[in-house]
């Protein structure tokens, strides 16, 4: 078995693979003050509850966009799983040609998403990941990673209204029945959800123009992908496990 770990700003997602099959996946909240021992206990317990054991883990691969947690998770792997993990970063074979000005600057999660998308779909492609930030990653017909766009995530946007406007409450991210809200909660939900769908459409339209690619497959992933995909025609497919798949593929390419 291999263990794939995606350290995001909100969640740490773990996937346990046997060959190409995802056997289990777990989601932990990203706690920047937690220690290697604390993560060890948590992950050990999750394994135990799923009837799997650290002894069966042959290798670990990690992608992280939270630098202070890398060492913590690496230490956890070495101490409890007894494996030196592979880190997605410089020196790792991804099979992608990164056209970012400084390839070291691209978030590892974005690279991993792009690798999975190129493997599973036909280029040219756009990957939209609805996480803490929403990222757009563009891959051309020659499988070159071109870059993309980064916008505030749905959670951040919703939280900002609550934090900065005294009379605006914290709301559930649910789709309202109408765009014309007749109470504060519905008005906020309408603005955030329909506005976000419009934003995605606008960015995808511009990407198509700039890439000169009228036919472009758009893949969405991340916790809130389904919610937004339901409100726009510009998303062709939702693939919730895209990041874990990408980690599994990169692990195999580096054996
Ligand atoms: N139902 C909801 N209501 C309000 N906020 C939500 C809801 N679901 C998710 N969020 C927020 O949306 C953001 C994205 O959540 P998601 O679970 O997609 O994160 P993620 O993919 O784990 O992100 P990352 O990889 O950046 O950690 C987070 O800030 C989260 O707190
Ligand atoms: C944009 C996020 C926060 C999305 O998780 C992450 O990919 C990141 O920190 N990226 C670094 C900046 C960049 O990709 O250009
Ligand atoms: K993510």
């Amino acid at each position: 078995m291999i263990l794939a770990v995606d350290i995001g700003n909100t969640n740490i997602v773990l996937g346990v693979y046997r060959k190409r099959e995802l056997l289990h996946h777990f989601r932990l909240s990203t706690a920047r003050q937690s220690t290697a021992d604390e993560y060890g206990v948590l992950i050990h317990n999750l394994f135990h509850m799923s009837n799997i054991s650290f002894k069966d883990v042959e290798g670990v691969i990690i992608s992280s966009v939270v630098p202070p947690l890398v060492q913590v998770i690496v230490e956890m792997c070495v101490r409890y799983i007894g494996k030196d993990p592979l880190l997605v970063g410089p020196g790792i074979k991804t099979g992608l040609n990164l056209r970012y000005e400084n390839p070291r600057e691209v978030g590892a999660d974005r690279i991993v998403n792009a690798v999975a998308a190129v493997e599973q779909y036909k280029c040219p492609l756009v990957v939209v990941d609805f996480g803490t930030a929403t990222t757009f990653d563009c891959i051309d017909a020659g499988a070159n990673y071109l870059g993309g766009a980064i916008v505030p995530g749905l959670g951040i946007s919703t939280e900002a209204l609550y934090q900065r406007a005294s009379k605006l409450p914290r709301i559930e991210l649910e789709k309202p029945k109408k765009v014309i809200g007749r109470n504060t909660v519905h008005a906020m939900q309408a603005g955030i959800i329909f506005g976000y769908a419009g934003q995605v459409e606008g960015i995808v339209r511009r990407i198509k123009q700039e890439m000169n690619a009228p036919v472009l497959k758009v893949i969405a992933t991340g916790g809130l992908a389904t919610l937004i995909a339901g409100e726009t025609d510009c998303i062709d497919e939702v693939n919730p496990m895209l990041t874990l798949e990408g980690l599994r593929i990169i692990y195999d390419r580096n054996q």
Side-chain angles (χ1 to χ4, degrees):
M1 293 187 327
I2 75 141
L3 174 64
V5 186
D6 169 38
I7 306 175
N9 282 290
T10 307
N11 288 302
I12 300 178
V13 180
L14 302 110
V16 178
Y17 280 90
R18 190 200 288 131
K19 301 261 190 287
R20 283 157 167 261
E21 186 194 0
L22 180 62
L23 299 179
H24 302 280
H25 58 98
F26 311 110
R27 188 178 277 266
L28 309 177
S29 46
T30 303
R32 287 164 176 74
Q33 73 294 346
S34 286
T35 64
D37 296 324
E38 286 165 338
Y39 280 112
V41 170
L42 259 177
I43 298 167
H44 180 272
N45 283 349
L46 290 168
F47 268 55
H48 184 75
M49 287 188 284
S50 307
N51 289 315
I52 48 176
S53 158
F54 282 167
K55 289 195 206 72
D56 302 324
V57 176
E58 298 149 49
V60 184
I61 179 161
I62 299 174
S63 66
S64 171
V65 295
V66 187
L69 273 179
V70 175
Q71 213 34 53
V72 171
I73 299 295
V74 168
E75 221 173 288
M76 184 283 296
C77 291
V78 173
R79 199 175 299 164
Y80 294 100
I81 305 182
K83 296 287 172 200
D84 251 330
L86 199 63
L87 282 173
V88 177
I92 287 290
K93 269 183 268 172
T94 60
L96 280 184
N97 181 12
L98 299 178
R99 291 283 174 82
Y100 230 51
E101 282 172 13
N102 174 3
R104 285 165 193 256
E105 206 175 78
V106 195
D109 52 354
R110 302 178 67 189
I111 295 175
V112 173
N113 283 339
V115 167
V118 168
E119 180 87 4
Q120 293 180 33
Y121 306 97
K122 205 167 137 25
C123 293
L125 285 164
V126 177
V127 179
V128 190
D129 188 334
F130 296 91
T132 310
T134 296
T135 50
F136 294 76
D137 300 302
C138 307
I139 303 119
D140 71 11
N144 298 294
Y145 177 90
L146 304 178
I150 302 172
V151 306
L154 276 150
I156 289 178
S157 309
T158 311
E159 192 67 16
L161 286 177
Y162 159 74
Q163 290 286 350
R164 304 289 292 269
S166 299
K167 296 189 66 169
L168 300 188
R170 206 176 232 140
I171 55 159
E172 279 303 318
L173 275 178
E174 269 167 18
K175 178 188 156 176
K177 288 200 176 66
K178 296 175 174 173
V179 69
I180 304 175
R182 294 177 62 235
N183 61 55
T184 305
V185 170
H186 287 167
M188 289 172 71
Q189 289 173 332
I192 298 254
I193 291 175
F194 301 134
Y196 219 85
Q199 171 175 253
V200 173
E201 278 171 14
I203 292 186
V204 168
R205 180 174 51 76
R206 283 167 188 269
I207 288 173
K208 278 185 185 168
Q209 251 167 27
E210 203 162 294
M211 286 176 70
N212 201 0
V215 188
L216 185 72
K217 184 119 182 155
V218 181
I219 313 299
T221 189
L224 301 159
T226 312
L227 177 68
I228 299 303
E231 298 312 312
T232 170
D233 293 331
C234 80
I235 294 172
D236 296 306
E237 200 164 316
V238 176
N239 185 334
M241 296 301 152
L242 197 69
T243 316
L244 290 179
E245 279 300 312
L247 283 169
R248 200 257 313 148
I249 293 163
I250 296 173
Y251 181 88
D252 287 341
R253 284 197 184 144
N254 286 271
Q255 291 317 294

